[in-house]
Amino acid sequence: MKTRVIDCIDKTNILDKLNDAGKILREGGLVVFPTETVYGLGANALDSEASKAIFAAKGRPVDNPLIVHIYSIEQLSEITNGINTIARKAMEAFWPGPLTLIMEKSQNVPDAVTAGLNTVGVRMPKNDVAIALLKAAGVPIAAPSANTSGKPSPTKAEHVIFDMDGKVDVILDGGPCDVGLESTILDTTSTPPTILRPGGVTLEMLRGVFRDVALDKGLLKKPDGDFKPKAPGMKYTHYSPDADVTVVEGRTEDVVEHIKERLLECSNKGIKAGVLATDETKGFYGENFIISVGSRENPITIAENLFDSLREFDKQSIQVVFAEAVANNGIGLAIMNRMNKAAGFKIEKV
Ligand code: TXA
Ligand code: MG
């Protein structure tokens, strides 16, 4: 398949470009589009065959359901079985934005999209190109992150091109994504509402709206035999670069000292090692390959750059990466969830 990359940063003739892409979606094709979280790999959510093509392009396990994207609340009547009080409150507070709501699905949504569940994840993105595409398509769009299954999610068009060239019809280049981590997933069918995946809408923000918010067990620990996460996707290896990642957790000074020792060990063994550091610590590691992922003072910068940084280590053929853990509150909960998963939960506490 020949993939067309369309520049949507330059807004000249943007509506014509998106009308084309909308038509491709209606005809069953695959269109990658930017959102404020990460790039999505979209197909018509009401078309079972088109949705199945998403799984093929990504190499995604078929038991992992897709999120359906909409541009207006009216579209919900087509895909859900009504809006309960929890869902209503959440959308009023956070849509459009990085929040996916798990709701009871209507029979119009094919099993391929929901992996046979009786619920559907729905989200209204906050990104001009995504909204314009949704309007041009006129149908709800099912879209997982546009990466090869298991790899870090794409936050720039170049990441998508690397993973999806030749596998999709169109890639819309909207520049780098703002949030950089996937949406928060909130199950609105449980009381209290439950966070199944932390993201840009934080636990603290949700607690500002709901008296009680639960966290799905094991968001920060490795899924084990008995434990079954409610978002099927959370059980899979995720966000993993080719490099072998280890998270180092503890007081910042101790973390730096520990990583320096581990770097020395690697260099003695002839292993090419790197550090996922922060603005505050990047100066401490000497001649090694260091990426500052952002500032501890301003963790949204870390969220924005995390996946790009993980991909960068692979580009430089780094074999082993030591990643500094950061504070676990606010957006930090989502950052650490992704970082721990990228490391396959290999965590050294110091
Ligand atoms: O920010 C995002 O959410 C991005 C952009 C493109 O919108 N999309 C995204 O999709 O991250 P994906 O497929 O990479 O992750 C979807 C997650 C998976 O863990 C999946 O298991 C969960 O959502 N999910 C989808 N539908 C669900 C449902 N009905 N019940 C529970 N979990 C669900
Ligand atoms: Mg994904």
Side-chain angles (χ1 to χ4, degrees), residues 37 60 64-65 67 69 119 123 144-145 182-183 185 197 231-233:
T37 59
R60 182 180 177 100
N64 191 3
I67 292 173
H69 298 69
T119 54
R123 164 165 126 76
S145 50
E182 308 85 344
S183 61
I185 302 180
R197 178 176 73 182

Side-chain angles (χ1 to χ4, degrees), residues 149-170:
S149 200
K151 291 291 151 199
S153 299
T155 55
K156 292 178 173 171
E158 61 177 87
H159 303 157
V160 179
I161 294 167
F162 188 84
D163 282 12
M164 290 297 152
D165 192 25
K167 299 182 175 168
V168 298
D169 297 288
V170 174

Side-chain angles (χ1 to χ4, degrees), residues 35-210:
T35 82
E36 79 280 34
T37 59
V38 300
Y39 277 78
L41 166 47
N44 178 355
L46 304 176
D47 177 340
S48 181
E49 290 311 308
S51 298
K52 283 182 188 159
I54 291 177
F55 290 84
K58 277 185 64 103
R60 182 180 177 100
V62 290
D63 69 347
N64 191 3
L66 308 176
I67 292 173
V68 178
H69 298 69
I70 56 171
Y71 69 89
S72 84
I73 301 282
E74 282 72 66
Q75 286 180 292
L76 281 176
S77 60
E78 202 172 8
I79 54 177
T80 66
N81 244 343
I83 308 174
N84 68 22
T85 316
I86 293 175
R88 168 94 45 206
K89 270 186 160 173
M91 3 183 134
E92 277 170 6
F94 301 110
W95 275 8
L99 179 67
T100 295
L101 301 176
I102 303 300
M103 303 172 71
E104 218 178 283
K105 85 171 190 104
S106 85
Q107 58 185 21
N108 297 331
V109 185
D111 278 345
V113 170
T114 60
L117 298 175
N118 57 6
T119 54
V120 60
V122 192
R123 164 165 126 76
M124 189 186 289
K126 188 175 184 172
N127 173 288
D128 291 349
V129 176
I131 293 293
L133 176 70
L134 282 158
K135 287 182 180 163
V139 290
I141 301 179
S145 50
N147 51 285
T148 301
S149 200
K151 291 291 151 199
S153 299
T155 55
K156 292 178 173 171
E158 61 177 87
H159 303 157
V160 179
I161 294 167
F162 188 84
D163 282 12
M164 290 297 152
D165 192 25
K167 299 182 175 168
V168 298
D169 297 288
V170 174
I171 297 172
L172 302 177
D173 181 355
C177 301
D178 289 338
V179 180
L181 301 177
E182 308 85 344
S183 61
T184 305
I185 302 180
L186 187 72
D187 185 0
T188 68
T189 68
S190 68
T191 311
T194 308
I195 295 179
L196 306 187
R197 178 176 73 182
V201 171
T202 62
L203 174 63
E204 292 83 348
M205 288 159 78
L206 287 164
R207 282 194 177 135
V209 174
F210 300 103

